[in-house]
Amino acid sequence: ALVCGYKTLAIANALDDDRLKVESTLKVGQALEGNNQKVEAFRNYLNGVKLAERLDDKELMKECYATLSEFYNLSNLFEKAASYKMKQISLIKSEIPPDSMELMWSIYSLQVVYFNSDNTRLNAQSMLDVLSFAKRNGNKRLQQYEFSLFRSYLIRTKRIDLLFDLYLKQFPEELHRLRLDESALYLRLMAYFKEEEGKIDSAAYYFQLAEKQAQFDPNIIYQSNFYSRYGQFLMRYNKPGEAIDKFNKAFELAENASYIAYMLSAAGYLEELYEQKKDYKSALGYAKLQRVLNDSIAELSKKDKLVLLEIEHEARQSEMLARLEEEKTLRRHNLQYMAITIGIITVFVILLMISNFKIPEWVIRAMGFFSFIFLFEFIILLADNKIHHATHGEPWKVMAIKIILIGLLLPFHHWIEEKVVHYLIKNQLIDFSSFTLKNIRTFITGKPEKQISKEEDV
């Protein structure tokens, strides 16, 4: 994938196709990320988003923001992940009309970020809105993804009452679908529901049926998680012997998958259960094992932190360069505005001057015409940036505001031009006849004309 990505990027550079450059840069970044070269991947993503923003291509910008959000999410930098996802959502909402399906998928992705960071920012109503939308529009894939996320959230937060209400009251057809298509998940949910109803024997029965199904699941991490949940159920109803058996299976499966988080969780429960049975030797063994696993996590975390520091450094460098470039552009624009202002003032001074000389009237009128053209075009230029910022570049909004603005300025332009030029032609504002040599010398020296004459005679 990386080789193909670089080849595509080379072709894009040869064709000088900016859009293809962005697409290729993102693909190269994704291949590097898959190869665990996170910093290099991040640099490619930054190059892609800079070029997309410079092109002001909303589709490319949305793709770049989505990619960066996913990258930050997988790197456990959840604030950044949420920030870029919100940028993507903002762009989708700015479209007229917005793509509602794209918007709902983006909201789902933002919910995933919140789920991975913490549960506090997840909104149950927002999740229900996505489910209702997916159901109305017949999008089974979005519906199943949202159900999976909502279900995980409710189980993690131990809101089985809401889970019960979700499947049995609001979306009973989804529970029926699970019974036919995903029987292991259906049995596990029924175990939770029976426990919620206080029917512990029925709950145990459904857990036993779910265990038979789970044994054939190829995903051993899923199996480990199931046995851990089963063990917790048995602990709640004072069956330590059976619970130990389930947690041992959970630990073994997690170990086979090298999934340290589940190994650590199972070891913690096993230590607690053996301590309750007064088997202190086994409890001590699992306590030591937890310390080893925590050291392994700390070591991995240390390596990850170094990578994250590099990523944050790259991000800060990129932001600093962008800020410097923005300041440089602003300074250049201010100098240009100043030069234009001086130019307009100069043109009006020249108009004022030539109106006092005996020159053809059409020359004064032509000079007045161009002087006011410069002035009013400069006003429109200043307003243009404000309009673009206020309307977020929406063509119909820009056009509507400009029609109103020009509709007001155009009559005023013609009226004031006619009045000023006519006045300059009929009235001599500067009397050049008074600019004699003696008057100029009197103005400069501050001495009366007679005194200057006597001094000249001497």
Side-chain angles (χ1 to χ4, degrees):
L2 188 58
V3 170
C4 291
Y6 279 128
K7 284 181 179 178
T8 309
L9 187 56
I11 294 169
N13 287 324
L15 295 173
D16 198 24
D17 187 329
D18 288 333
R19 185 178 179 83
L20 187 57
K21 284 179 189 176
V22 176
E23 295 279 1
S24 305
T25 302
L26 292 182
K27 294 302 177 189
V28 169
Q30 287 167 350
L32 287 166
E33 188 180 353
N35 201 33
N36 205 30
Q37 296 174 260
K38 288 190 172 184
V39 178
E40 288 299 320
F42 183 63
R43 286 175 184 153
N44 277 271
Y45 294 150
L46 284 181
N47 290 337
V49 77
K50 284 177 190 173
L51 183 52
E53 288 176 343
R54 192 160 63 246
L55 294 172
D56 197 25
D57 188 314
K58 286 190 176 181
E59 290 302 317
L60 286 178
M61 287 163 67
K62 285 190 293 185
E63 187 175 355
C64 290
Y65 293 155
T67 304
L68 270 170
S69 177
E70 185 177 358
F71 173 81
Y72 276 122
N73 184 37
L74 294 174
S75 301
N76 297 327
L77 294 168
F78 302 115
E79 288 298 326
K80 285 282 190 181
S83 172
Y84 275 104
K85 185 55 64 175
M86 289 300 295
K87 284 185 177 183
Q88 182 192 359
I89 290 172
S90 178
L91 280 179
I92 295 169
K93 288 181 175 179
S94 70
E95 294 172 345
I96 306 294
D99 185 333
S100 55
M101 190 64 71
E102 185 182 18
L103 178 61
M104 286 300 165
W105 272 111
S106 300
I107 291 172
Y108 161 76
S109 299
L110 181 62
Q111 291 169 353
V112 171
V113 173
Y114 289 158
F115 178 80
N116 290 335
S117 58
D118 55 50
N119 298 318
T120 57
R121 286 186 291 181
L122 273 174
N123 187 311
Q125 186 56 53
S126 172
M127 301 174 93
L128 284 172
D129 290 342
V130 174
L131 283 175
S132 299
F133 174 86
K135 182 181 177 181
R136 285 196 312 273
N137 290 273
N139 192 321
K140 299 296 183 184
R141 185 163 173 263
L142 176 59
Q143 189 173 340
Q144 288 179 23
Y145 275 50
E146 188 68 32
F147 263 120
S148 178
L149 180 65
F150 204 179
R151 184 172 60 243
S152 299
Y153 164 66
L154 293 174
I155 291 172
R156 179 191 284 186
T157 54
K158 297 180 172 57
R159 298 301 308 272
I160 305 302
D161 55 331
L162 293 181
L163 190 67
F164 183 90
D165 183 76
L166 179 69
Y167 277 101
L168 293 178
K169 295 181 181 178
Q170 297 186 59
F171 296 93
E173 69 281 357
E174 176 63 16
L175 188 62
H176 179 69
R177 186 195 68 79
L178 290 177
R179 187 170 67 85
L180 297 176
D181 300 337
E182 299 180 55
S183 56
L185 179 56
Y186 168 79
L187 293 169
R188 183 175 168 182
L189 284 173
M190 289 304 297
Y192 288 139
F193 296 156
K194 292 301 178 184
E195 184 181 4
E196 178 67 18
E197 292 176 317
K199 299 176 180 177
I200 308 307
D201 291 339
S202 296
Y205 170 73
Y206 277 111
F207 263 118
Q208 291 168 8
L209 293 177
E211 181 180 13
K212 292 176 183 178
Q213 295 281 343
Q215 291 172 354
F216 300 103
D217 195 301
N219 188 336
I220 58 176
I221 293 177
Y222 170 81
Q223 287 190 49
S224 174
N225 182 52
F226 167 76
Y227 278 110
S228 182
R229 298 289 187 191
Y230 195 177
Q232 292 169 37
F233 167 77
L234 293 167
M235 280 183 70
R236 285 195 293 272
Y237 297 101
N238 199 26
K239 295 183 179 179
E242 294 178 47
I244 287 173
D245 180 55
K246 305 309 175 190
F247 282 120
N248 275 322
K249 286 184 180 179
F251 183 88
E252 183 182 343
L253 289 163
E255 188 176 28
N256 291 338
S258 300
Y259 201 76
I260 298 177
Y262 281 5
M263 290 170 66
L264 185 62
S265 174
Y269 284 115
L270 286 166
E271 179 194 358
E272 183 181 344
L273 287 165
Y274 278 119
E275 189 177 351
Q276 288 176 6
K277 291 183 67 177
K278 302 191 184 304
D279 185 349
Y280 298 114
K281 183 178 179 181
S282 297
L284 180 61
Y286 279 106
K288 290 180 179 178
L289 183 58
Q290 284 182 81
R291 189 162 60 248
V292 172
L293 291 172
N294 276 318
D295 289 343
S296 299
I297 290 175
E299 188 64 31
L300 291 171
S301 179
K302 191 183 296 183
K303 292 177 182 177
D304 286 342
K305 282 180 180 177
L306 290 173
V307 174
L308 294 180
L309 284 173
E310 287 188 62
I311 291 170
E312 288 177 352
H313 175 71
E314 288 290 330
R316 282 196 298 271
Q317 286 287 99
S318 176
E319 288 172 2
M320 185 181 69
L321 289 173
R323 189 168 59 253
L324 289 174
E325 183 65 29
E326 187 178 345
E327 289 174 358
K328 184 179 176 182
T329 302
L330 183 63
R331 188 163 53 250
R332 186 174 69 252
H333 288 177
N334 286 338
L335 287 172
Q336 291 176 20
Y337 286 136
M338 188 182 297
I340 293 170
T341 304
I342 293 170
I344 291 172
I345 292 171
T346 304
V347 168
F348 274 96
V349 170
I350 293 170
L351 173 64
L352 182 63
M353 297 289 289
I354 67 170
S355 67
N356 293 278
F357 292 103
K358 292 181 179 180
I359 59 174
E361 187 177 313
W362 69 268
V363 175
I364 298 173
R365 290 191 179 278
M367 193 66 183
F369 172 76
F370 284 109
S371 299
F372 281 98
I373 282 286
F374 292 155
L375 175 61
F376 280 87
E377 283 300 321
F378 184 53
I379 293 171
I380 292 172
L381 175 65
L382 292 175
D384 200 46
N385 285 330
K386 303 290 185 183
I387 293 168
H388 189 81
H389 179 72
T391 60
H392 304 288
E394 287 296 328
W396 73 271
K397 292 181 181 178
V398 173
M399 185 174 180
I401 293 174
K402 282 195 172 182
I403 287 171
I404 296 169
L405 181 64
I406 293 171
L408 294 172
L409 289 178
L410 192 60
F412 181 64
H413 172 200
H414 290 309
W415 178 80
I416 194 171
E417 178 192 339
E418 183 182 349
K419 293 292 182 184
V420 170
V421 171
H422 178 76
Y423 185 81
L424 289 175
I425 291 171
K426 297 299 180 184
N427 299 276
Q428 192 175 36
L429 297 182
I430 303 174
D431 185 8
F432 284 100
S433 62
S434 64
F435 283 85
T436 62
L437 180 61
K438 287 185 177 181
N439 287 344
I440 293 170
R441 290 168 66 185
T442 300
F443 176 75
I444 293 171
T445 60
K447 297 177 181 179
E449 185 180 339
K450 291 181 178 179
Q451 186 178 342
I452 293 172
S453 300
K454 289 178 181 179
E455 288 174 357
E456 286 177 349
D457 291 340
V458 173

